[in-house]
Amino acid sequence: QVQLVESGGGLVQPGGSLRLSCAASATIFFMGWYRQAPGKQREFVAVIPSGGSTNYADSVKGRFTISRDNAKKTVFLQMNNLSPEDTAVYYCYARPSMATMTYWGQGIQVTVSS
C-alpha cells in the first residue's frame, strides 16, 4: 500500500504561481501529476522518473516544472503564469517500474480566478 498526500493548492489570480507537493509513503520510480477540470476528462500534466528526464503536456510546457526529492519521497509541481484554463483538481500519481499498477492521491483543487 502506498499513500500519496497532496498539498499546496488553492486560489490564485491569473498570472500567479502555485507550488504543489505530493508526499509519498514509499519511493516509486515514476511520479507525476494529472488534472481534471469540471466536465472534462482527466489530463496528463507531467511526470518525472527517478534520475531521469521530465515530460510535460504541451499545454503546460514552459510554465510548469516538475521535480522530486527522493530522500523526502516527495514530488513537486511548480506552476507559473497560471491561467483560468489551469483550474482543475490536480492528482498526484506514482507508478513503479516494471509494473502496471498506479497509485493516486485524493486530489487537490487549484482555482485560477480574479
Side-chain angles (χ1 to χ4, degrees), residues 37-92:
K40 296 184 178 180
Q41 294 183 335
R42 190 178 62 180
E43 175 190 29
F44 168 78
V45 176
V47 64
I48 180 170
S50 181
S53 60
T54 57
N55 289 303
Y56 298 91
D58 288 341
S59 59
V60 306
K61 286 181 179 177
R63 300 188 299 120
F64 291 11
T65 302
I66 189 170
S67 61
R68 64 188 291 167
D69 184 338
N70 287 333
K72 298 180 179 179
K73 294 175 286 193
T74 302
V75 64
F76 306 95
L77 185 67
Q78 179 67 47
M79 304 183 293
N80 297 326
N81 193 25
L82 287 162
S83 71
E85 289 70 34
D86 297 312
T87 295
V89 176
Y90 284 70
Y91 296 92
C92 176

Side-chain angles (χ1 to χ4, degrees), residues 6-12 17-21 33 77 79 82 88 90 107-111:
E6 302 103 330
S7 62
L11 175 66
V12 65
S17 299
L18 284 175
R19 190 193 193 206
L20 304 181
S21 300
W33 298 87
L77 185 67
M79 304 183 293
L82 287 162
Y90 284 70
I108 188 166
Q109 180 70 47
V110 172
T111 302

